[in-house]
Amino acid sequence: MKNTVLAALCAATFCGSAFAQSSAPIKVGLMLPATGTYAALGDMIEKGFKLHVQEQGGKLAGREIQYFKVDDESDPSKATDNVNKLIKRDNVDVLVGTVHSGVALAMAKAAKESNTLLIVPNAGADAITGPMCGPNIVRSSFSNWQPGYSTGVVAAQKGYKRAMTITWNYAAGQETVKGFREAFEKGGGQVLKDLNLPFPNVEFQALLTEIAAQKPDVVFAFFAGGGAVKFVKDYDAAGLKKTIPLFGSGFLTDGTLQAQGPSAQGLFTTLHYADSLDIPKNNAFRKAFALAYKQNADVYAVQGYDAAQLLGAGLAAVKGDLSKRDALAAAMRKATVDSPRGKFTLSPAGNPVQDMYLREARGENNEYRAVAVKALADPARGCKL
Ligand code: BEZ
């Protein structure tokens, strides 16, 4: 039956609101950074998300998708106002965001208070799938603990005993370093000192001088985006790359290799994705992404793509009927996501249980070397559902 005829019939009967609901587009609020040190990360998440929707013919579970966008600038002080633009002004059905842990914490609070669905496509803040966990919140990315922990496992296995860490002083840096320390110390290592600077500062010189003076066996770093580019180049320029191995969570070299040039070559990192992962889903994804956007995919694109896959799985379970929101949210948690990173499921707290890979930077790729930790689940400390 044509929509117009159905609408006319419905107008005279009880089915009017159901028809309007099921034919209206689903409103997706993308809250991502479009400016600042994480701008490129936000761009890749959006591209990945939209690629999956395009592959489904521009619809998920038969429903058109309408996008609403806010540039969050990776600024936690503006986060509550920004997320409320999407929740209260645009009245979105689902929030997708963001990159920066501090901003995402404010999003999670607002999502909980308004009972809005939230899919986090990057920010690793442990609390989101820890004390702040909720049935309406899931993540398509990682917890900060996961890449920190898996890098600590690898560094200890390599036999390093004395480490120094360096990062930005906010949730992502602090929690990633904590995860590293937990595994490194369990493996017999010792962290001599944690160095940090405020986000998004990139004046690394004094801290690099301190590393050179202490001469640890290994340095562990969390930086991402523009800051990671500058850090890796400065580490090399200071002459440290030749003398003290630099390890990091994979964000140190993801989406950044072209800009980092020779300074990044040979660096080992761990992450839940590797460019060269040779599985059919990743090969198809990278081909489709390159075709659509004339650039290579990275982990952020994967996480955006998988955020759309999670939403699609939830919507499919309720046949696109948003009035069954609780069932939709529960179905996202039960989904097995056929991701370019390999298949993954969500923990009860809503965080991916996933393989963590050891990668080596070669050319413009983070090449797969080994599984660092198989099916790593975040401990979800403090999550009560
Ligand atoms: C974060 O703030 O959680 C984050 C930012 C960039 C890369 C990874 C984590």
Side-chain angles (χ1 to χ4, degrees):
M1 194 184 301
K2 281 226 167 73
N3 280 354
T4 44
V5 179
L6 181 58
L9 279 177
C10 284
T13 66
F14 63 89
C15 71
S17 66
F19 172 76
Q21 190 278 328
S22 65
S23 64
I26 289 171
K27 296 165 129 192
V28 172
L30 295 175
M31 181 153 148
L32 295 166
T35 48
T37 198
Y38 287 162
L41 288 57
D43 179 52
M44 293 301 265
I45 289 168
E46 182 174 342
K47 284 175 169 158
F49 191 98
K50 290 184 169 171
L51 178 64
H52 178 69
V53 174
Q54 279 314 314
E55 287 176 351
Q56 309 309 305
K59 295 180 178 181
L60 293 178
R63 302 277 305 266
E64 302 271 357
I65 302 297
Q66 185 180 9
Y67 295 104
F68 294 80
K69 286 171 52 166
V70 166
D71 172 9
D72 67 39
E73 304 170 49
S74 295
D75 185 345
S77 72
K78 298 181 183 164
T80 303
D81 283 350
N82 278 330
V83 72
N84 279 329
K85 286 180 195 157
L86 294 169
I87 296 173
K88 294 185 180 156
R89 182 192 66 191
D90 301 330
N91 207 11
V92 298
D93 299 307
V94 54
L95 288 165
V96 177
T98 184
V99 170
H100 184 287
S101 276
V103 177
L105 286 167
M107 288 185 79
K109 185 165 180 285
K112 282 193 91 157
E113 284 167 4
S114 62
N115 200 20
T116 309
L117 288 173
L118 169 63
I119 305 176
V120 181
N122 184 71
D126 290 344
I128 290 173
T129 50
M132 294 182 78
C133 73
N136 58 322
I137 300 176
V138 295
R139 209 160 13 201
S140 64
S141 51
F142 59 93
S143 72
N144 289 324
W145 178 89
Q146 284 175 310
Y149 186 89
S150 54
T151 315
V153 168
V154 171
Q157 279 168 354
K158 293 219 180 245
Y160 300 123
K161 292 290 176 221
R162 299 158 58 256
M164 283 176 85
T165 71
I166 179 164
T167 189
W168 279 312
N169 194 7
Y170 82 104
Q174 291 156 355
E175 292 169 358
T176 309
V177 161
K178 216 168 152 198
F180 173 84
R181 178 192 288 272
E182 187 180 326
F184 189 62
E185 291 184 351
K186 215 192 269 177
Q190 184 200 354
V191 176
L192 304 180
K193 190 162 184 190
D194 297 322
L195 304 174
N196 53 59
L197 70 171
F199 174 88
N201 285 11
V202 290
E203 299 312 320
F204 302 117
Q205 214 45 57
L207 302 178
L208 293 175
T209 304
E210 196 169 343
I211 290 171
Q214 294 244 12
K215 297 188 182 59
D217 301 339
V218 65
V219 168
F220 171 77
F222 166 85
F223 294 105
V229 172
K230 171 98 171 23
F231 177 76
V232 165
K233 288 179 131 185
D234 286 5
Y235 195 86
D236 187 20
L240 290 170
K241 187 172 178 229
K242 288 196 267 337
T243 51
I244 305 173
L246 174 61
F247 274 54
S249 62
F251 308 109
L252 195 61
T253 56
D254 222 280
T256 53
L257 286 173
Q258 197 176 19
Q260 287 163 332
S263 297
Q265 294 303 299
L267 290 188
F268 283 98
T269 59
T270 75
L271 204 61
H272 48 285
Y273 182 63
D275 298 315
S276 70
L277 200 59
D278 191 13
I279 55 174
K281 184 72 185 179
N282 189 40
N283 295 334
F285 166 75
R286 293 190 73 83
K287 206 167 148 192
F289 193 93
L291 202 67
Y293 301 116
K294 314 287 172 258
Q295 70 187 119
N296 287 326
D298 60 17
V299 69
Y300 308 105
V302 170
Q303 295 168 168
Y305 188 83
D306 290 343
Q309 293 213 76
L310 271 173
L311 179 59
L315 283 167
V318 297
K319 300 193 171 48
D321 183 355
L322 275 174
S323 70
K324 299 186 176 145
R325 256 195 28 134
D326 292 352
L328 188 166
M332 288 201 288
R333 264 188 166 64
K334 289 205 191 83
T336 297
V337 181
D338 189 10
S339 169
R341 76 188 82 171
K343 288 195 169 84
F344 73 86
T345 53
L346 296 184
S347 67
N351 193 64
V353 178
Q354 53 195 345
D355 292 349
M356 304 300 295
Y357 304 113
L358 175 65
R359 311 113 45 92
E360 183 179 359
R362 286 276 165 218
E364 289 187 16
N365 281 327
N366 287 289
E367 290 187 359
Y368 170 88
R369 288 290 172 263
V371 174
V373 184
K374 184 94 194 133
L376 185 63
D378 178 84
R381 293 171 183 131
C383 170
K384 288 188 188 72
L385 284 167

